[in-house]
PDB file of all heavy atoms in Angstrom:
ATOM      1  N   GLU A 300     -39.646 -19.119  -1.389  1.00 98.00           N
ATOM      2  CA  GLU A 300     -39.159 -19.763  -0.168  1.00 98.00           C
ATOM      3  C   GLU A 300     -38.001 -20.717  -0.422  1.00 98.00           C
ATOM      4  O   GLU A 300     -37.477 -21.334   0.510  1.00 98.00           O
ATOM      5  CB  GLU A 300     -40.308 -20.510   0.517  1.00 98.00           C
ATOM      6  CG  GLU A 300     -41.429 -19.587   0.993  1.00 98.00           C
ATOM      7  CD  GLU A 300     -42.557 -20.346   1.675  1.00 98.00           C
ATOM      8  OE1 GLU A 300     -42.363 -21.543   1.981  1.00 98.00           O
ATOM      9  OE2 GLU A 300     -43.626 -19.744   1.879  1.00 98.00           O
ATOM     10  N   SER A 301     -37.568 -20.817  -1.672  1.00 98.00           N
ATOM     11  CA  SER A 301     -36.536 -21.795  -2.024  1.00 98.00           C
ATOM     12  C   SER A 301     -35.173 -21.465  -1.427  1.00 98.00           C
ATOM     13  O   SER A 301     -34.318 -22.347  -1.313  1.00 98.00           O
ATOM     14  CB  SER A 301     -36.412 -21.899  -3.552  1.00 98.00           C
ATOM     15  OG  SER A 301     -36.004 -20.650  -4.106  1.00 98.00           O
ATOM     16  N   GLY A 302     -34.959 -20.229  -1.022  1.00 96.00           N
ATOM     17  CA  GLY A 302     -33.686 -19.851  -0.437  1.00 96.00           C
ATOM     18  C   GLY A 302     -33.427 -20.455   0.923  1.00 96.00           C
ATOM     19  O   GLY A 302     -32.297 -20.368   1.438  1.00 96.00           O
ATOM     20  N   HIS A 303     -34.436 -21.096   1.515  1.00 96.00           N
ATOM     21  CA  HIS A 303     -34.268 -21.729   2.834  1.00 96.00           C
ATOM     22  C   HIS A 303     -33.874 -23.199   2.730  1.00 96.00           C
ATOM     23  O   HIS A 303     -33.559 -23.827   3.745  1.00 96.00           O
ATOM     24  CB  HIS A 303     -35.569 -21.622   3.632  1.00 96.00           C
ATOM     25  CG  HIS A 303     -36.039 -20.215   3.853  1.00 96.00           C
ATOM     26  ND1 HIS A 303     -35.328 -19.294   4.604  1.00 96.00           N
ATOM     27  CD2 HIS A 303     -37.136 -19.561   3.391  1.00 96.00           C
ATOM     28  CE1 HIS A 303     -35.978 -18.151   4.612  1.00 96.00           C
ATOM     29  NE2 HIS A 303     -37.076 -18.275   3.885  1.00 96.00           N
ATOM     30  N   ILE A 304     -33.881 -23.752   1.531  1.00 97.00           N
ATOM     31  CA  ILE A 304     -33.695 -25.191   1.375  1.00 97.00           C
ATOM     32  C   ILE A 304     -32.326 -25.649   1.885  1.00 97.00           C
ATOM     33  O   ILE A 304     -32.214 -26.684   2.546  1.00 97.00           O
ATOM     34  CB  ILE A 304     -33.888 -25.588  -0.109  1.00 97.00           C
ATOM     35  CG1 ILE A 304     -35.367 -25.449  -0.495  1.00 97.00           C
ATOM     36  CG2 ILE A 304     -33.382 -26.998  -0.370  1.00 97.00           C
ATOM     37  CD1 ILE A 304     -35.651 -25.656  -1.964  1.00 97.00           C
ATOM     38  N   TYR A 305     -31.291 -24.879   1.632  1.00 96.00           N
ATOM     39  CA  TYR A 305     -29.930 -25.305   1.989  1.00 96.00           C
ATOM     40  C   TYR A 305     -29.560 -25.007   3.439  1.00 96.00           C
ATOM     41  O   TYR A 305     -28.516 -25.433   3.908  1.00 96.00           O
ATOM     42  CB  TYR A 305     -28.919 -24.651   1.048  1.00 96.00           C
ATOM     43  CG  TYR A 305     -28.681 -25.437  -0.213  1.00 96.00           C
ATOM     44  CD1 TYR A 305     -29.698 -25.635  -1.140  1.00 96.00           C
ATOM     45  CD2 TYR A 305     -27.439 -25.996  -0.484  1.00 96.00           C
ATOM     46  CE1 TYR A 305     -29.489 -26.359  -2.300  1.00 96.00           C
ATOM     47  CE2 TYR A 305     -27.210 -26.721  -1.647  1.00 96.00           C
ATOM     48  CZ  TYR A 305     -28.246 -26.897  -2.551  1.00 96.00           C
ATOM     49  OH  TYR A 305     -28.031 -27.626  -3.704  1.00 96.00           O
ATOM     50  N   ARG A 306     -30.389 -24.236   4.140  1.00 93.00           N
ATOM     51  CA  ARG A 306     -30.137 -23.924   5.555  1.00 93.00           C
ATOM     52  C   ARG A 306     -28.748 -23.308   5.768  1.00 93.00           C
ATOM     53  O   ARG A 306     -28.055 -23.606   6.745  1.00 93.00           O
ATOM     54  CB  ARG A 306     -30.270 -25.188   6.420  1.00 93.00           C
ATOM     55  CG  ARG A 306     -31.672 -25.761   6.461  1.00 93.00           C
ATOM     56  CD  ARG A 306     -31.709 -27.081   7.196  1.00 93.00           C
ATOM     57  NE  ARG A 306     -33.087 -27.536   7.412  1.00 93.00           N
ATOM     58  CZ  ARG A 306     -33.675 -27.578   8.593  1.00 93.00           C
ATOM     59  NH1 ARG A 306     -33.019 -27.204   9.677  1.00 93.00           N
ATOM     60  NH2 ARG A 306     -34.929 -28.009   8.700  1.00 93.00           N
ATOM     61  N   GLU A 307     -28.330 -22.454   4.862  1.00 93.00           N
ATOM     62  CA  GLU A 307     -27.009 -21.837   4.978  1.00 93.00           C
ATOM     63  C   GLU A 307     -27.039 -20.675   5.962  1.00 93.00           C
ATOM     64  O   GLU A 307     -28.034 -19.937   6.027  1.00 93.00           O
ATOM     65  CB  GLU A 307     -26.536 -21.378   3.597  1.00 93.00           C
ATOM     66  CG  GLU A 307     -26.259 -22.561   2.683  1.00 93.00           C
ATOM     67  CD  GLU A 307     -26.059 -22.161   1.233  1.00 93.00           C
ATOM     68  OE1 GLU A 307     -26.778 -21.280   0.738  1.00 93.00           O
ATOM     69  OE2 GLU A 307     -25.189 -22.762   0.587  1.00 93.00           O
ATOM     70  N   PRO A 308     -25.966 -20.484   6.737  1.00 89.00           N
ATOM     71  CA  PRO A 308     -25.966 -19.416   7.742  1.00 89.00           C
ATOM     72  C   PRO A 308     -26.073 -18.039   7.102  1.00 89.00           C
ATOM     73  O   PRO A 308     -25.329 -17.725   6.169  1.00 89.00           O
ATOM     74  CB  PRO A 308     -24.617 -19.599   8.457  1.00 89.00           C
ATOM     75  CG  PRO A 308     -23.778 -20.368   7.489  1.00 89.00           C
ATOM     76  CD  PRO A 308     -24.700 -21.237   6.723  1.00 89.00           C
ATOM     77  N   PRO A 309     -26.987 -17.183   7.593  1.00 90.00           N
ATOM     78  CA  PRO A 309     -27.212 -15.878   6.967  1.00 90.00           C
ATOM     79  C   PRO A 309     -26.295 -14.776   7.469  1.00 90.00           C
ATOM     80  O   PRO A 309     -26.382 -13.648   6.993  1.00 90.00           O
ATOM     81  CB  PRO A 309     -28.668 -15.583   7.339  1.00 90.00           C
ATOM     82  CG  PRO A 309     -28.833 -16.237   8.676  1.00 90.00           C
ATOM     83  CD  PRO A 309     -27.995 -17.475   8.637  1.00 90.00           C
ATOM     84  N   PHE A 310     -25.430 -15.073   8.423  1.00 90.00           N
ATOM     85  CA  PHE A 310     -24.594 -14.037   9.045  1.00 90.00           C
ATOM     86  C   PHE A 310     -23.163 -14.113   8.503  1.00 90.00           C
ATOM     87  O   PHE A 310     -22.675 -15.190   8.146  1.00 90.00           O
ATOM     88  CB  PHE A 310     -24.587 -14.211  10.565  1.00 90.00           C
ATOM     89  CG  PHE A 310     -24.310 -15.618  11.012  1.00 90.00           C
ATOM     90  CD1 PHE A 310     -23.015 -16.098  11.125  1.00 90.00           C
ATOM     91  CD2 PHE A 310     -25.364 -16.473  11.305  1.00 90.00           C
ATOM     92  CE1 PHE A 310     -22.768 -17.403  11.514  1.00 90.00           C
ATOM     93  CE2 PHE A 310     -25.126 -17.776  11.703  1.00 90.00           C
ATOM     94  CZ  PHE A 310     -23.820 -18.250  11.807  1.00 90.00           C
ATOM     95  N   PRO A 311     -22.460 -12.977   8.429  1.00 91.00           N
ATOM     96  CA  PRO A 311     -21.059 -12.987   7.987  1.00 91.00           C
ATOM     97  C   PRO A 311     -20.201 -13.895   8.861  1.00 91.00           C
ATOM     98  O   PRO A 311     -20.391 -13.975  10.077  1.00 91.00           O
ATOM     99  CB  PRO A 311     -20.637 -11.523   8.115  1.00 91.00           C
ATOM    100  CG  PRO A 311     -21.910 -10.749   8.046  1.00 91.00           C
ATOM    101  CD  PRO A 311     -22.943 -11.608   8.717  1.00 91.00           C
ATOM    102  N   HIS A 312     -19.247 -14.580   8.228  1.00 90.00           N
ATOM    103  CA  HIS A 312     -18.344 -15.432   8.986  1.00 90.00           C
ATOM    104  C   HIS A 312     -17.075 -15.672   8.166  1.00 90.00           C
ATOM    105  O   HIS A 312     -16.989 -15.281   7.004  1.00 90.00           O
ATOM    106  CB  HIS A 312     -19.010 -16.757   9.368  1.00 90.00           C
ATOM    107  CG  HIS A 312     -19.560 -17.547   8.222  1.00 90.00           C
ATOM    108  ND1 HIS A 312     -20.731 -17.205   7.577  1.00 90.00           N
ATOM    109  CD2 HIS A 312     -19.111 -18.664   7.603  1.00 90.00           C
ATOM    110  CE1 HIS A 312     -20.977 -18.073   6.618  1.00 90.00           C
ATOM    111  NE2 HIS A 312     -20.003 -18.970   6.602  1.00 90.00           N
ATOM    112  N   ALA A 313     -16.102 -16.312   8.800  1.00 89.00           N
ATOM    113  CA  ALA A 313     -14.803 -16.548   8.174  1.00 89.00           C
ATOM    114  C   ALA A 313     -14.747 -17.969   7.618  1.00 89.00           C
ATOM    115  O   ALA A 313     -15.113 -18.921   8.307  1.00 89.00           O
ATOM    116  CB  ALA A 313     -13.690 -16.340   9.205  1.00 89.00           C
ATOM    117  N   TYR A 314     -14.265 -18.104   6.385  1.00 91.00           N
ATOM    118  CA  TYR A 314     -14.227 -19.427   5.774  1.00 91.00           C
ATOM    119  C   TYR A 314     -13.197 -19.463   4.648  1.00 91.00           C
ATOM    120  O   TYR A 314     -12.822 -18.449   4.065  1.00 91.00           O
ATOM    121  CB  TYR A 314     -15.601 -19.807   5.217  1.00 91.00           C
ATOM    122  CG  TYR A 314     -16.226 -18.751   4.340  1.00 91.00           C
ATOM    123  CD1 TYR A 314     -16.032 -18.734   2.963  1.00 91.00           C
ATOM    124  CD2 TYR A 314     -17.030 -17.749   4.895  1.00 91.00           C
ATOM    125  CE1 TYR A 314     -16.605 -17.754   2.169  1.00 91.00           C
ATOM    126  CE2 TYR A 314     -17.609 -16.763   4.108  1.00 91.00           C
ATOM    127  CZ  TYR A 314     -17.397 -16.767   2.747  1.00 91.00           C
ATOM    128  OH  TYR A 314     -17.958 -15.786   1.969  1.00 91.00           O
ATOM    129  N   ALA A 315     -12.736 -20.673   4.389  1.00 89.00           N
ATOM    130  CA  ALA A 315     -11.940 -20.967   3.203  1.00 89.00           C
ATOM    131  C   ALA A 315     -12.667 -22.074   2.459  1.00 89.00           C
ATOM    132  O   ALA A 315     -13.511 -22.774   3.029  1.00 89.00           O
ATOM    133  CB  ALA A 315     -10.532 -21.402   3.590  1.00 89.00           C
ATOM    134  N   GLY A 316     -12.365 -22.245   1.177  1.00 91.00           N
ATOM    135  CA  GLY A 316     -13.109 -23.254   0.434  1.00 91.00           C
ATOM    136  C   GLY A 316     -12.434 -23.656  -0.852  1.00 91.00           C
ATOM    137  O   GLY A 316     -11.585 -22.932  -1.384  1.00 91.00           O
ATOM    138  N   THR A 317     -12.825 -24.801  -1.346  1.00 93.00           N
ATOM    139  CA  THR A 317     -12.338 -25.286  -2.632  1.00 93.00           C
ATOM    140  C   THR A 317     -13.436 -26.108  -3.282  1.00 93.00           C
ATOM    141  O   THR A 317     -14.371 -26.564  -2.615  1.00 93.00           O
ATOM    142  CB  THR A 317     -11.060 -26.133  -2.451  1.00 93.00           C
ATOM    143  OG1 THR A 317     -10.432 -26.333  -3.720  1.00 93.00           O
ATOM    144  CG2 THR A 317     -11.357 -27.481  -1.818  1.00 93.00           C
ATOM    145  N   GLY A 318     -13.333 -26.289  -4.584  1.00 95.00           N
ATOM    146  CA  GLY A 318     -14.331 -27.069  -5.306  1.00 95.00           C
ATOM    147  C   GLY A 318     -13.728 -27.682  -6.553  1.00 95.00           C
ATOM    148  O   GLY A 318     -12.889 -27.061  -7.223  1.00 95.00           O
ATOM    149  N   VAL A 319     -14.144 -28.910  -6.868  1.00 97.00           N
ATOM    150  CA  VAL A 319     -13.654 -29.589  -8.069  1.00 97.00           C
ATOM    151  C   VAL A 319     -14.839 -30.160  -8.837  1.00 97.00           C
ATOM    152  O   VAL A 319     -15.859 -30.556  -8.260  1.00 97.00           O
ATOM    153  CB  VAL A 319     -12.650 -30.707  -7.738  1.00 97.00           C
ATOM    154  CG1 VAL A 319     -11.351 -30.112  -7.207  1.00 97.00           C
ATOM    155  CG2 VAL A 319     -13.222 -31.710  -6.744  1.00 97.00           C
ATOM    156  N   LEU A 320     -14.686 -30.200 -10.147  1.00 98.00           N
ATOM    157  CA  LEU A 320     -15.689 -30.745 -11.043  1.00 98.00           C
ATOM    158  C   LEU A 320     -15.259 -32.147 -11.471  1.00 98.00           C
ATOM    159  O   LEU A 320     -14.115 -32.347 -11.907  1.00 98.00           O
ATOM    160  CB  LEU A 320     -15.848 -29.843 -12.267  1.00 98.00           C
ATOM    161  CG  LEU A 320     -16.387 -28.436 -11.966  1.00 98.00           C
ATOM    162  CD1 LEU A 320     -16.097 -27.492 -13.117  1.00 98.00           C
ATOM    163  CD2 LEU A 320     -17.878 -28.493 -11.675  1.00 98.00           C
ATOM    164  N   LEU A 321     -16.169 -33.103 -11.361  1.00 98.00           N
ATOM    165  CA  LEU A 321     -15.843 -34.508 -11.603  1.00 98.00           C
ATOM    166  C   LEU A 321     -16.611 -35.046 -12.810  1.00 98.00           C
ATOM    167  O   LEU A 321     -17.767 -34.681 -13.039  1.00 98.00           O
ATOM    168  CB  LEU A 321     -16.195 -35.358 -10.382  1.00 98.00           C
ATOM    169  CG  LEU A 321     -15.671 -34.899  -9.015  1.00 98.00           C
ATOM    170  CD1 LEU A 321     -16.103 -35.899  -7.950  1.00 98.00           C
ATOM    171  CD2 LEU A 321     -14.154 -34.728  -9.027  1.00 98.00           C
ATOM    172  N   HIS A 322     -15.971 -35.964 -13.555  1.00 98.00           N
ATOM    173  CA  HIS A 322     -16.675 -36.594 -14.674  1.00 98.00           C
ATOM    174  C   HIS A 322     -17.601 -37.708 -14.199  1.00 98.00           C
ATOM    175  O   HIS A 322     -18.457 -38.189 -14.946  1.00 98.00           O
ATOM    176  CB  HIS A 322     -15.689 -37.126 -15.704  1.00 98.00           C
ATOM    177  CG  HIS A 322     -14.717 -38.158 -15.187  1.00 98.00           C
ATOM    178  ND1 HIS A 322     -15.085 -39.427 -14.838  1.00 98.00           N
ATOM    179  CD2 HIS A 322     -13.380 -38.081 -14.964  1.00 98.00           C
ATOM    180  CE1 HIS A 322     -14.030 -40.109 -14.432  1.00 98.00           C
ATOM    181  NE2 HIS A 322     -12.980 -39.310 -14.488  1.00 98.00           N
ATOM    182  N   GLY A 323     -17.449 -38.129 -12.963  1.00 97.00           N
ATOM    183  CA  GLY A 323     -18.313 -39.135 -12.360  1.00 97.00           C
ATOM    184  C   GLY A 323     -17.976 -39.267 -10.893  1.00 97.00           C
ATOM    185  O   GLY A 323     -16.978 -38.698 -10.427  1.00 97.00           O
ATOM    186  N   LEU A 324     -18.774 -40.015 -10.162  1.00 97.00           N
ATOM    187  CA  LEU A 324     -18.480 -40.212  -8.752  1.00 97.00           C
ATOM    188  C   LEU A 324     -17.362 -41.231  -8.584  1.00 97.00           C
ATOM    189  O   LEU A 324     -17.310 -42.235  -9.307  1.00 97.00           O
ATOM    190  CB  LEU A 324     -19.721 -40.698  -8.014  1.00 97.00           C
ATOM    191  CG  LEU A 324     -20.754 -39.628  -7.637  1.00 97.00           C
ATOM    192  CD1 LEU A 324     -21.915 -40.283  -6.897  1.00 97.00           C
ATOM    193  CD2 LEU A 324     -20.136 -38.527  -6.778  1.00 97.00           C
ATOM    194  N   PRO A 325     -16.464 -41.007  -7.621  1.00 97.00           N
ATOM    195  CA  PRO A 325     -15.400 -41.977  -7.349  1.00 97.00           C
ATOM    196  C   PRO A 325     -15.961 -43.287  -6.812  1.00 97.00           C
ATOM    197  O   PRO A 325     -17.145 -43.404  -6.472  1.00 97.00           O
ATOM    198  CB  PRO A 325     -14.543 -41.264  -6.297  1.00 97.00           C
ATOM    199  CG  PRO A 325     -14.882 -39.823  -6.424  1.00 97.00           C
ATOM    200  CD  PRO A 325     -16.320 -39.786  -6.840  1.00 97.00           C
ATOM    201  N   ASP A 326     -15.083 -44.273  -6.695  1.00 96.00           N
ATOM    202  CA  ASP A 326     -15.478 -45.546  -6.127  1.00 96.00           C
ATOM    203  C   ASP A 326     -15.793 -45.385  -4.638  1.00 96.00           C
ATOM    204  O   ASP A 326     -15.454 -44.380  -4.010  1.00 96.00           O
ATOM    205  CB  ASP A 326     -14.381 -46.587  -6.329  1.00 96.00           C
ATOM    206  CG  ASP A 326     -13.056 -46.135  -5.734  1.00 96.00           C
ATOM    207  OD1 ASP A 326     -12.949 -46.027  -4.496  1.00 96.00           O
ATOM    208  OD2 ASP A 326     -12.116 -45.862  -6.511  1.00 96.00           O
ATOM    209  N   ALA A 327     -16.445 -46.387  -4.077  1.00 95.00           N
ATOM    210  CA  ALA A 327     -16.909 -46.315  -2.691  1.00 95.00           C
ATOM    211  C   ALA A 327     -15.758 -46.109  -1.720  1.00 95.00           C
ATOM    212  O   ALA A 327     -15.891 -45.377  -0.731  1.00 95.00           O
ATOM    213  CB  ALA A 327     -17.681 -47.588  -2.345  1.00 95.00           C
ATOM    214  N   SER A 328     -14.625 -46.753  -1.979  1.00 96.00           N
ATOM    215  CA  SER A 328     -13.481 -46.621  -1.076  1.00 96.00           C
ATOM    216  C   SER A 328     -12.991 -45.184  -1.018  1.00 96.00           C
ATOM    217  O   SER A 328     -12.683 -44.656   0.063  1.00 96.00           O
ATOM    218  CB  SER A 328     -12.351 -47.544  -1.532  1.00 96.00           C
ATOM    219  OG  SER A 328     -11.199 -47.356  -0.730  1.00 96.00           O
ATOM    220  N   THR A 329     -12.909 -44.525  -2.181  1.00 97.00           N
ATOM    221  CA  THR A 329     -12.457 -43.126  -2.218  1.00 97.00           C
ATOM    222  C   THR A 329     -13.455 -42.219  -1.510  1.00 97.00           C
ATOM    223  O   THR A 329     -13.071 -41.345  -0.729  1.00 97.00           O
ATOM    224  CB  THR A 329     -12.255 -42.671  -3.667  1.00 97.00           C
ATOM    225  OG1 THR A 329     -11.258 -43.491  -4.286  1.00 97.00           O
ATOM    226  CG2 THR A 329     -11.811 -41.218  -3.717  1.00 97.00           C
ATOM    227  N   LEU A 330     -14.738 -42.420  -1.769  1.00 97.00           N
ATOM    228  CA  LEU A 330     -15.750 -41.601  -1.109  1.00 97.00           C
ATOM    229  C   LEU A 330     -15.720 -41.796   0.402  1.00 97.00           C
ATOM    230  O   LEU A 330     -15.850 -40.841   1.167  1.00 97.00           O
ATOM    231  CB  LEU A 330     -17.131 -41.930  -1.656  1.00 97.00           C
ATOM    232  CG  LEU A 330     -17.424 -41.443  -3.079  1.00 97.00           C
ATOM    233  CD1 LEU A 330     -18.763 -41.986  -3.564  1.00 97.00           C
ATOM    234  CD2 LEU A 330     -17.408 -39.926  -3.143  1.00 97.00           C
ATOM    235  N   ASP A 331     -15.530 -43.028   0.832  1.00 96.00           N
ATOM    236  CA  ASP A 331     -15.425 -43.279   2.261  1.00 96.00           C
ATOM    237  C   ASP A 331     -14.235 -42.538   2.853  1.00 96.00           C
ATOM    238  O   ASP A 331     -14.309 -41.981   3.966  1.00 96.00           O
ATOM    239  CB  ASP A 331     -15.286 -44.776   2.529  1.00 96.00           C
ATOM    240  CG  ASP A 331     -16.600 -45.538   2.339  1.00 96.00           C
ATOM    241  OD1 ASP A 331     -17.653 -44.873   2.234  1.00 96.00           O
ATOM    242  OD2 ASP A 331     -16.554 -46.779   2.298  1.00 96.00           O
ATOM    243  N   GLY A 332     -13.117 -42.524   2.108  1.00 97.00           N
ATOM    244  CA  GLY A 332     -11.933 -41.817   2.583  1.00 97.00           C
ATOM    245  C   GLY A 332     -12.150 -40.320   2.684  1.00 97.00           C
ATOM    246  O   GLY A 332     -11.702 -39.675   3.647  1.00 97.00           O
ATOM    247  N   VAL A 333     -12.836 -39.739   1.699  1.00 98.00           N
ATOM    248  CA  VAL A 333     -13.130 -38.308   1.719  1.00 98.00           C
ATOM    249  C   VAL A 333     -14.057 -37.974   2.877  1.00 98.00           C
ATOM    250  O   VAL A 333     -13.861 -36.978   3.590  1.00 98.00           O
ATOM    251  CB  VAL A 333     -13.735 -37.862   0.370  1.00 98.00           C
ATOM    252  CG1 VAL A 333     -14.275 -36.443   0.462  1.00 98.00           C
ATOM    253  CG2 VAL A 333     -12.688 -37.948  -0.734  1.00 98.00           C
TER     254      VAL A 333
END
Side-chain angles (χ1 to χ4, degrees):
E300 296 180 12
S301 62
H303 301 295
I304 290 173
Y305 273 64
R306 295 174 171 250
E307 292 168 320
F310 49 84
H312 56 284
Y314 50 91
T317 193
V319 291
L320 296 162
L321 309 181
H322 60 70
L324 280 181
D326 57 67
S328 176
T329 299
L330 288 173
D331 286 348
V333 170

